[in-house]
Amino acid sequence: MSITVVGSIAYDTVKTPFGERERMLGGAAVHFALAASFFEEVCVVGPVGDDFGEPQLEVMRARGVNVSDIERVQGGRTFFWQGEYGWDLNSRETLDTQLGVFEGFQPKLSDSSRASDVLFLANIQPDLQREVRSQLPHARFVALDSMDLWINIARDSLVSAIEGVDCVILNDAELRQLTGKPNLVAAAREILTWTPSDPSGPGRGPSVVVAKQGEYGAALVPPESFFALPAYPLESVVDPTGAGDTFAGGLIGYIAAHPDEAISDELLRRAMAHATVLASFNVEEFGTERLQRLTGKEIVARIAELHSMTQFTSASLSLRG
Amino acid sequence: MSITVVGSIAYDTVKTPFGERERMLGGAAVHFALAASFFEEVCVVGPVGDDFGEPQLEVMRARGVNVSDIERVQGGRTFFWQGEYGWDLNSRETLDTQLGVFEGFQPKLSDSSRASDVLFLANIQPDLQREVRSQLPHARFVALDSMDLWINIARDSLVSAIEGVDCVILNDAELRQLTGKPNLVAAAREILTWTPSDPSGPGRGPSVVVAKQGEYGAALVPPESFFALPAYPLESVVDPTGAGDTFAGGLIGYIAAHPDEAISDELLRRAMAHATVLASFNVEEFGTERLQRLTGKEIVARIAELHSMTQFTSASLSLRG
C-alpha cells in the first residue's frame, strides 16, 4: 500500500528575513516524502548528481523512505534552486535555477515503485508526469502538482496529464491561469469536467481539485461540495520553501493510510487537515529541519488544535425580515 | 438594545468585469446598517447633501433602519466614490473621491443614538471616531474599522481610537501596516496589548481583532485563541464594494441580538459565521441590490451550508514516528 512520488530532489539556497541557508536538502519529492512518511512507506523516484551526499539520503532513510529509485547520474550535478523571500514571506524571487541532472531526466521505476497503489506526480515536465502515470495504470489514487511555467509552455501536455489523474493540487493563481477563469470555484469546477481525450489511457478525469492558498490555507473542491481550512496560525514563520509539497505529502499520505476507505468527501477533509498541519510544521524552520525531528504525537496534538479553531455552533436565531 | 453606526453615506459609481452602475446607494454606514438590520434596529449617523433622495432613505427605512440622525446639509453634496475593479476583483482603482458634506462633518447624535448599547465606528477620520465613542461611554460593545489613509496620516489618533474600543476590524494588509509586523497573528496579538493611555477615557483596550481577508474569509483573534472561516464560495461575484462593511454589520448585528450573552469566543464565532454569510450575499449583485431583497430564511440556510463546509472529523490514526 505504499506511495510513489516522482519529482525533484534538490539543493536549495534560501534567504528569508529570518536567516539564510546554503545548499540545504530540498526538492518537491523530498518535502513530499518526509511528510507522507508519517502515514505510509514512500518510494522516491528522481535523479541526483555526484554531489548528492550520503547524509542527505540518510535524512530520508531515517524516516523510512525507500530511496532505491533515486538515480545517481555519474558526472551530473543535483538540481539547484536559490531564492529570496520578501518581508511578509508572500513574495519570493528566484535568483538561480540549475537543472543539472534534471535536464534529460527519464524516470526509471523499479517493480517496487510500480507496485504502489498511490502516486504523486510532483511538479515536473508534464510529458514525464504522463509517462510515469502510464506505468501505474491501476493505482487507486493519483494526484498531480504543476507550476506556471508548464501552463505557459506546455499547456496541452499538462491538460492531458490532468485528464489522467484523480486529484489536481495547484495554487489559486495557477488554477486561474490554467482555466482562464478569475473565479476560483468556477476554475476548479471547470477542471472537474475534464475527461481523457484518449479513453484507452489511464484515469477517468479528476474528481477533486485542491486549491493551495498559502498563508490563507486551502480549499477542497469535489464536484458537488466545498470545504476549506485556514492555515494553522503561527506567530513565527521562518521559511515557506516546500510548504506546498509538504501539504501534498500530508494529504496523499493520509489517503494512502486508509486503503479500505472509499475516497469520500469525509476522508478528503480529514486528509486536508493533516496536510495543513504538516505544512505548518514545515514552515517553522528552514528546509527539512523541522520535519526531521517531528513526531506523530505533535501532529495529532496540532490536528486537535486545528479542529478547535474551525468549529462554530450554528444556533438558530429569529431574524428580522 | 439597538446599534448605532457612524460612517459614510455615499453615491458610488462602480465598474467591474460584470457591468457598471452610476451613482448607486453606498457608503460604509449604509452597507453596515442593511446587514445589521437583520438582527437589531440600527441608528445611522452621517451626513448627506441636497442630492440625496427619498428613494435612498426608503431603502434603509424598508429594512427598519432608523434614519433620523442622517443629517441633510443644505447646499452640500453627498460623498461620492468612483472605482473600477480588475479581472479577478482582488484589485481596485479609485478613479474619483469627492468628500462633499463629509468635509467638516461633525457627528450629531440624538438621545436615541446615544442610548444604543452597541456602537460601530465605520471608517472615518479617527478624531471623529473618538468623539462619537465618548458620547456612548457605557456601550456594551464597540467596534471600529479604518483604512490605510488614516494609518498614514493620523496614526496616533487612530491608535487612541483603537485603545477605546472592544473590537478592531481591519484588512490583513492594514493590520500589518498599523503594527509594522509582517506576521498576521503577531500583528493582531500586538493590538490586543494596547490599553488606553488616558485611563479616564472609555474602554479598556481591544479584546478581539478581526482580520478581513477578502475572498479568503476572515480570522478572529482573541487573546488566547484563534478562529478562521473561509469566505462562502460563490461561482459568480459581481461587485465586492461594501463587502467589508456588510461583514461588520453581520458581526456586530449578531452580537447586538444577544444582549444577555457574555462576549465569549463562542458567541464571536457564531457572529463571524453570520458576518461571512451576509458579506457573501452582498457581493452577488451591485451595491445594495442583493441585501434589499434578502430574507432571514436565506441567511439561515446559508449559515447551515457554511457550517457543513467547514467541518471535519478528527479521527485518530497511528502515525509512523
Side-chain angles (χ1 to χ4, degrees), chain A residues 208-224:
Chain A
V208 63
V209 171
V210 174
K212 293 181 287 183
Q213 304 172 326
E215 63 164 332
Y216 298 112
L220 177 83
V221 189
E224 304 287 328

Side-chain angles (χ1 to χ4, degrees), chain A residues 63 266 296 311 313 320, chain B residues 63 266 308 311 313 320-321:
Chain A
R63 289 265 352 125
E266 201 262 328
Q311 302 304 299
T313 54
R320 300 168 78 239
Chain B
R63 288 263 354 122
E266 202 261 330
S308 78
Q311 303 303 299
T313 54
R320 300 167 79 239

Side-chain angles (χ1 to χ4, degrees), chain A residues 18 36-42 63-64 87-88 90 172 176-177 180-186 189 213 215-216 226-231 233-237 254 257-258 266 269-270 273-274 294-297 299-300 303-304 306-321, chain B residues 18 36-42 63-64 87-88 90 172 176-177 180-186 189 213 215-216 226-231 233-237 254 257-258 266 269-270 273-274 294-297 299-300 303-304 306-321:
Chain A
F18 307 100
S37 74
F38 285 91
F39 305 94
E40 272 300 334
E41 185 175 304
V42 186
R63 289 265 352 125
W87 84 299
D88 67 359
N90 287 328
D172 271 20
R176 294 191 164 109
Q177 187 192 352
K181 287 187 186 290
N183 181 288
L184 185 70
V185 184
R189 298 241 189 268
Q213 304 172 326
E215 63 164 332
Y216 298 112
F226 182 89
F227 175 68
L229 272 182
L234 293 167
E235 285 203 48
S236 168
V237 174
Y254 190 89
H258 294 80
E266 201 262 328
R269 288 176 177 214
R270 279 184 275 132
H274 285 78
L294 182 63
T295 67
K297 205 171 159 181
I299 295 170
V300 170
I303 290 282
L306 181 68
H307 191 259
S308 77
M309 287 169 182
T310 54
Q311 302 304 299
F312 69 96
T313 54
S314 57
S316 66
L317 172 71
S318 73
L319 295 168
R320 300 168 78 239
Chain B
F18 308 99
S37 73
F38 285 92
F39 305 95
E40 273 298 336
E41 186 176 302
V42 186
R63 288 263 354 122
W87 85 298
D88 66 359
N90 287 327
D172 270 20
R176 294 191 164 109
Q177 186 192 353
K181 287 187 186 292
N183 181 288
L184 184 70
V185 184
R189 298 242 188 267
Q213 304 172 327
E215 64 163 331
Y216 298 112
F226 182 89
F227 175 67
L229 273 182
L234 293 168
E235 285 202 48
S236 167
V237 175
Y254 189 89
H258 293 80
E266 202 261 330
R269 288 176 177 213
R270 278 183 276 133
H274 285 78
L294 183 63
T295 66
K297 205 172 159 182
I299 296 171
V300 170
I303 290 281
L306 181 67
H307 191 258
S308 78
M309 287 170 181
T310 54
Q311 303 303 299
F312 68 96
T313 54
S314 58
S316 66
L317 173 70
S318 73
L319 295 168
R320 300 167 79 239

